[in-house]
Amino acid sequence: MDWKKSIIYVLDVFIGIYLVLAMTSFIKPDEKADICKSININIQKETTDGFLTESEVMRLLRKSKLTLVSQPMSSINTRQIEEILEGNDLIDNAECYKAVNGVLCINIVQRIPIVRVMSNKGEDYYVDNHNEVMQHNNYTCNLLVATGNISKQYASKSLSSVVRQIQENDFWSNQIVQLNVLDDRSIEAIPRVGNHVIYLGQPTGINKKLERLRKFYIYGLSQTGWNRYSRISVEFDNQIICKRNKVKK
């Protein structure tokens, strides 16, 4: 009886090993036999449009002389692909991995521009969602534009904070189309509707200033007309100072 039990035990062990090997082979196919059939590019979507498209990512890979489709999966260096993509100014993070059936997957987190800066010093660049300066390029997207006396330090610290507060408000993100920074670092805003300039003052307490102005729009300008004033200042707390347009004779 003992030898029968031993044989059964040995058979159970071999069957167990076989099943483990079979499952491992099923879950992880032989990479050497696989050919890259397609590339699946996933670009993380944001509330604000970025510059990158799938075709642009493919162009970056071709520019680096990487041939991927029809190549053996075993010859594709995923880390190399990640390093190439992350070396581009428009990409914050890239993750590349090999999937089943010869599919190469690339997941990308892009840098999102939130404002275009065109300073009076002739500089032209963007500030991204991490408050970092991005070089200007040939891509286009619908962005708030900031002009005037703007240094890169001011843009990445003070200006970016103002822009974020505007973007987080549905009303003001649609109404304000341009910011202008004066020599004393105070800010003017140019609205989409109305023939006036909004003076915000120094870049502090922006949410309170904009909310006070929104109420003035609703209860004031809606009654008197959008073009009655040439300048509306919300610089100081609890007050709004307006300058009337000159009446044409």
Side-chain angles (χ1 to χ4, degrees), residues 85-169:
L85 294 176
E86 289 175 355
N88 186 275
D89 288 338
L90 303 179
I91 296 176
D92 187 29
N93 177 264
E95 179 186 21
C96 181
Y97 61 93
K98 302 169 187 177
V100 296
N101 299 324
V103 179
L104 183 68
C105 297
I106 301 176
N107 295 331
I108 290 176
V109 178
Q110 60 180 324
R111 296 175 65 185
I112 304 297
I114 61 173
V115 60
R116 180 177 179 178
V117 177
M118 303 174 69
S119 74
N120 56 9
K121 298 178 182 178
E123 295 178 312
D124 190 351
Y125 54 89
Y126 303 98
V127 177
D128 72 2
N129 53 329
H130 297 301
N131 305 324
E132 296 180 357
V133 172
M134 295 175 62
Q135 293 182 357
H136 180 259
N137 49 54
N138 295 323
Y139 301 98
T140 59
C141 63
N142 188 22
L143 283 180
L144 188 66
V145 176
T147 57
N149 187 16
I150 307 173
S151 66
K152 289 184 178 179
Q153 182 179 12
Y154 180 90
S156 62
K157 292 184 178 180
S158 301
L159 182 64
S160 62
S161 176
V162 174
V163 172
R164 283 180 180 277
Q165 292 175 77
I166 292 172
Q167 287 184 336
E168 289 168 359
N169 186 297

Side-chain angles (χ1 to χ4, degrees), residues 42 53 63 111 118 165 214 232 237:
N42 176 43
T53 62
K63 187 177 179 181
R111 296 175 65 185
M118 303 174 69
Q165 292 175 77
R214 187 186 69 84
I232 301 175
D237 290 341

Side-chain angles (χ1 to χ4, degrees), residues 188-248:
E188 295 175 332
I190 310 300
R192 187 184 304 276
V193 179
N195 235 359
H196 54 270
V197 173
I198 302 167
Y199 184 64
L200 297 172
Q202 295 298 317
T204 57
I206 297 299
N207 280 331
K208 291 182 178 180
K209 294 175 181 178
L210 291 177
E211 178 58 20
R212 190 161 71 250
L213 181 59
R214 187 186 69 84
K215 291 179 180 178
F216 178 69
Y217 271 21
I218 295 173
Y219 301 110
L221 291 188
S222 62
Q223 303 297 322
T224 62
W226 288 90
N227 298 322
R228 183 172 185 178
Y229 302 108
S230 62
R231 183 179 176 85
I232 301 175
S233 173
V234 290
E235 176 184 12
F236 303 110
D237 290 341
N238 302 319
Q239 60 178 292
I240 296 176
I241 302 173
C242 301
K243 180 180 179 181
R244 285 193 179 188
N245 270 316
K246 294 180 180 179
V247 179
K248 295 181 180 180

Side-chain angles (χ1 to χ4, degrees), residues 13-28:
V13 171
F14 276 111
I15 291 172
I17 293 173
Y18 171 79
L19 290 174
V20 170
L21 292 175
M23 289 297 295
T24 303
S25 177
F26 175 77
I27 295 172
K28 187 177 181 181

